Amino acid sequence: MRLVLAGLTAVLAGCASTSETNPGRTATEQLLMARAADQAVEGLRLPIPPGSRVFVEGRYFQGEGSNYGLSAVRNALSESGYALSDDKERADAVFELRAGALSLEQMRRVVGLPPLAVPINENLNVVSIPELSLYSRRDRVGVAEFSGFLYDARTGAPLGAVTPMIGEYRIRSHKLLMMVTWGQQSARPGERDPGDSWREF
């Protein structure tokens, strides 16, 4: 008996467990926002000659994903032939940037009963009823809208504005009889076009 207890003690002493932390956004959510930002700034042009030195003012560009969005704007300006300046005093123009949106939308359409939370007593305790559907469709969309205006770096005189830059990246998945699924279940790294979700299984 003592030998068995000693063996169990040795096994238990050798067990180890690890804990994992989860970020606030899943990889798919992050990619949806990133792809929307990339689409929003494609072909960005400013109302000043290419080659001008531009300082991108990002202090009013706030919110989740703002660093990625700001870098996407700088990259688009560089690709369009503008010189980026990290010194406001040495720039020809200041591009003051703002974000109308950089976030996610989710829409679900159900033929049947959606998930429900039903109160069961006067204390508002609820019981959750799962989805009971013949067919459901889920759309997850990254949405980006940026805009801004330009002014002379030395005088502050207005040089023009940039109309809202809009990007959207959508993936769609389907479920039949709560078991058969098709379409895109997650955003894939490096993929710029989600394709036709009806044909993707």
Side-chain angles (χ1 to χ4, degrees), residues 1-15:
M1 184 66 179
R2 291 180 180 177
L3 186 59
V4 172
L5 288 176
L8 287 174
T9 302
V11 169
L12 292 175
C15 293

Side-chain angles (χ1 to χ4, degrees), residues 114-198:
L116 298 173
V118 180
I120 57 175
N121 55 34
E122 64 277 2
N123 295 325
L124 298 180
N125 294 324
V126 298
V127 59
S128 296
I129 299 176
E131 177 184 310
L132 299 171
S133 64
L134 297 174
Y135 166 79
S136 63
R137 188 181 82 187
R138 183 185 184 192
D139 285 286
R140 284 172 286 176
V141 190
V143 179
E145 182 187 278
F146 311 146
S147 58
F149 65 96
L150 285 153
Y151 59 88
D152 188 282
R154 285 171 285 278
T155 66
L159 297 175
V162 174
T163 57
M165 302 166 275
I166 299 170
E168 183 180 284
Y169 189 88
R170 177 189 305 265
I171 60 174
R172 175 174 291 174
S173 58
H174 314 269
K175 185 180 290 185
L176 184 66
L177 300 176
M178 299 181 294
M179 293 185 296
V180 181
T181 61
W182 72 96
Q184 189 157 351
Q185 307 299 320
S186 61
R188 301 182 183 101
E191 186 175 59
R192 300 300 296 266
D193 183 357
D196 185 350
S197 66
W198 282 99

Side-chain angles (χ1 to χ4, degrees), residues 17-132:
S17 63
T18 59
S19 61
E20 295 181 1
T21 58
N22 296 311
R25 294 283 191 190
T26 66
T28 287
E29 290 172 334
Q30 292 172 350
L31 289 169
L32 287 171
M33 292 171 63
R35 295 293 83 79
D38 291 337
Q39 287 189 10
V41 301
E42 281 182 2
L44 175 60
R45 297 286 188 278
L46 302 179
I48 54 176
S52 302
R53 295 184 61 82
V54 179
F55 176 83
V56 180
E57 177 60 85
R59 58 180 165 167
Y60 303 111
F61 192 78
Q62 302 292 329
E64 188 174 3
S66 58
N67 286 339
Y68 186 95
L70 185 62
S71 180
V73 169
R74 289 170 57 85
N75 180 66
L77 291 175
S78 180
E79 289 183 347
S80 295
Y82 299 99
L84 298 176
S85 175
D86 290 328
D87 188 344
K88 197 172 184 178
E89 301 299 324
R90 296 183 180 179
D92 300 315
V94 176
F95 182 30
E96 187 168 304
L97 189 65
R98 57 184 179 269
L102 182 55
S103 193
L104 299 167
E105 292 281 1
Q106 180 165 273
M107 291 159 282
R108 193 174 184 88
R109 292 170 176 83
V110 176
V111 178
L113 292 175
L116 298 173
V118 180
I120 57 175
N121 55 34
E122 64 277 2
N123 295 325
L124 298 180
N125 294 324
V126 298
V127 59
S128 296
I129 299 176
E131 177 184 310
L132 299 171

